[in-house]
Amino acid sequence: MDPVRNPYAPGAGQRPPELAGRDREVDAFDVVLERVARGRPERSLVLTGLRGVGKTVLLGELRSMAVRAGWGAGKLEARPDADLRRPLSAALHRAIRDLAVHHRAPDRVEETLGVLKAFALKATPSDAKIKDRWQPGIDVAVRTGRADSGDIEIDLVELFGVCAELAADVGVGIALLIDEMQDLRDDDVSALCAACHELSQSGAPLVVVGAGLPHLPAVLSASKSYSERLFRYVTIGQLDRADADLALTVPAKREDAELTEAALDALYEVSGGYPYFVQAYGKAAWDAAVRNPIDADDVRMAAPEASAELAVGFFGSRYERATPAEREYLQGMAEIAEGRDEPVPTSKLAAHLGRKPSSLSPARDSLLRKGLVFSAERGWIAFTVPHFGRFLLGRD
């Protein structure tokens, strides 16, 4: 098949394959947009799942939905140990620019941007040299006195309120989308929860949509005991067989191509229904096929190439971040689970490695910070990356 027309290549097609099977989440967000715009209370949303299930692609679709509805929308990606003010300021700046197109009072827009600029400038310590001072790129005068105390919790509550007021002026809302939310610093998580709590109390039209690894609800709960009331949690998992088939057949149909039932069987078996793998193996099978339709032999021929690419880009890049002690920990997990995607008891892992549980804590804590494992429940540990155990056991 023509590789130029490959519908599974990254960025190909009108609707990325990763969104197959996400109609429930898309429809639910459509209701959120409508309810908030009508001034009715609605909880913010948190999407959780393993790597490779399409959370980031889904966030992008939700942002597009908000923009099409006339909302202001901004998206950011949290980074470990990084200050929230800078990326949050940039995301809200984008959202306010979206609203400015519809707002009839330029002075109100400028006032809001002035408050946002004051908030952003607090990202730089007051004693920093002039050359080290960060400028947020907001071309208005600073409006002091709101959202600029230097306390992130106080400032974020005030800032969300100011931005929501601007959205209310034009009868819409603001959607703030945060990817890798589990990587926020503790004080930023606390501030975000406090701001969302204030929004829920006032009914202000601003919604936070966060996405992160399976332990994100525990991160939020540890920060504020009332966080479980602030967010609607949605678990994003692998696709069932029907949706995985759609992710493959619909893009192929756009290119006047088909897949046999045996090919779909083989692709589901090798991918496990994880959207990232569905796309990776689908791309390889397309490139390997010499005729239409794509059949099971094409999948079997292409699978080693797709696996090799995943071993380098998807699995290998993460494995290389681990220290020798952390790799020993990961390898032990894989051996106990026999390569399956399931949690293992930490006590059993310690016994397997012939170590005291306390001696493994540093490796475990570091792997948690790096996002390679998560605590499924107390006393259990699991990979954040599907098929990672199988990758480790298959290494030479």
Side-chain angles (χ1 to χ4, degrees):
M1 308 287 277
D2 184 357
V4 175
R5 297 170 53 207
N6 194 318
Y8 311 115
Q14 298 295 315
R15 181 178 167 113
E18 291 89 336
L19 278 180
R22 306 308 183 206
D23 290 343
R24 178 174 62 93
E25 291 78 14
V26 169
D27 292 344
F29 190 64
D30 211 15
V31 173
V32 169
L33 294 175
E34 184 68 21
R35 285 180 58 84
V36 173
R38 292 188 179 188
R40 297 178 180 177
E42 186 60 71
R43 286 179 293 173
S44 288
L45 180 65
V46 169
L47 311 172
T48 64
L50 300 175
R51 308 273 184 204
V53 295
K55 298 187 299 297
T56 299
V57 173
L58 180 55
L59 275 186
E61 175 65 13
L62 300 185
R63 183 190 179 281
S64 296
M65 289 174 60
V67 171
R68 289 194 295 269
W71 282 40
K75 182 173 177 287
L76 65 101
E77 180 179 327
R79 299 188 181 280
D81 302 320
D83 182 80
L84 178 62
R85 284 184 190 259
R86 291 192 186 190
L88 180 66
S89 300
L92 285 177
H93 189 197
R94 173 63 184 269
I96 293 171
R97 293 203 306 272
D98 291 340
L99 295 175
V101 176
H102 309 288
H103 208 287
R104 296 182 179 180
D107 290 348
R108 284 276 292 124
V109 176
E110 186 171 317
E111 179 182 355
T112 303
L113 287 173
V115 174
L116 177 61
K117 186 172 184 177
F119 171 86
L121 288 172
K122 287 297 180 179
T124 302
S126 57
D127 59 351
K129 297 179 181 179
I130 294 179
K131 67 181 180 64
D132 296 326
R133 292 184 178 275
W134 174 67
Q135 293 298 321
I138 303 174
D139 192 21
V140 299
V142 176
R143 300 295 180 99
T144 58
R146 299 184 72 180
D148 61 353
S149 71
D151 184 315
I152 184 63
E153 186 163 319
I154 294 173
D155 293 350
L156 199 57
V157 170
E158 292 187 338
L159 179 64
F160 277 10
V162 170
C163 292
E165 289 172 5
L166 187 72
D169 289 347
V170 290
V172 293
I174 288 177
L176 178 64
L177 303 105
I178 306 175
D179 204 359
E180 302 293 351
M181 195 171 174
Q182 76 283 337
D183 286 338
L184 290 174
R185 299 188 310 188
D186 291 346
D187 56 343
D188 291 334
V189 172
S190 178
L192 192 64
C193 289
C196 287
H197 184 252
E198 183 65 25
L199 291 172
S200 68
Q201 295 294 308
S202 64
L206 192 155
V207 173
V208 174
V209 182
L213 295 173
H215 65 288
L216 176 55
V219 171
L220 296 171
S221 179
S223 177
K224 296 288 187 182
S225 59
Y226 54 74
S227 67
E228 61 187 25
R229 304 194 303 272
L230 301 178
F231 304 101
R232 183 163 61 87
Y233 295 101
V234 178
T235 301
I236 307 298
Q238 64 245 66
L239 305 176
D240 62 24
R241 174 59 192 271
D243 287 326
D245 286 357
L246 283 176
L248 292 160
T249 57
V250 172
K253 189 174 182 180
R254 298 192 191 110
E255 299 297 334
D256 299 318
E258 296 180 346
L259 298 95
T260 66
E261 191 68 20
L264 294 172
D265 289 341
L267 284 167
Y268 193 74
E269 181 178 355
V270 75
S271 70
Y274 291 102
Y276 191 89
F277 299 150
V278 170
Q279 188 168 13
Y281 285 101
K283 176 182 180 298
W286 178 282
D287 289 341
V290 295
R291 63 182 63 86
N292 188 20
I294 298 171
D295 61 25
D297 287 339
D298 298 319
V299 176
R300 283 190 286 270
M301 183 182 302
E305 180 181 346
S307 297
E309 289 187 9
L310 289 169
V312 174
F314 191 73
F315 299 117
S317 61
R318 290 174 168 83
Y319 183 73
E320 292 301 321
R321 295 169 53 201
T323 66
E326 292 163 5
R327 292 178 184 180
E328 179 190 29
Y329 193 99
L330 296 171
Q331 187 69 31
M333 289 175 59
E335 291 169 356
I336 292 174
E338 298 180 341
R340 295 185 295 271
D341 294 327
E342 58 184 37
V344 301
T346 53
S347 58
K348 188 173 182 180
L349 177 59
H352 179 76
L353 296 176
R355 305 274 296 279
K356 293 182 178 179
S358 59
S359 70
L360 295 176
S361 295
R364 174 183 175 275
D365 293 345
S366 180
L367 288 169
L368 285 168
R369 289 193 299 272
K370 291 177 179 179
L372 292 174
V373 302
F374 72 98
S375 179
E377 58 181 283
R378 186 174 180 82
W380 293 76
I381 199 75
F383 294 118
T384 61
V385 180
H387 294 184
F388 199 59
R390 190 168 72 183
F391 159 74
L392 291 174
L393 296 184
R395 293 178 70 254
D396 293 331

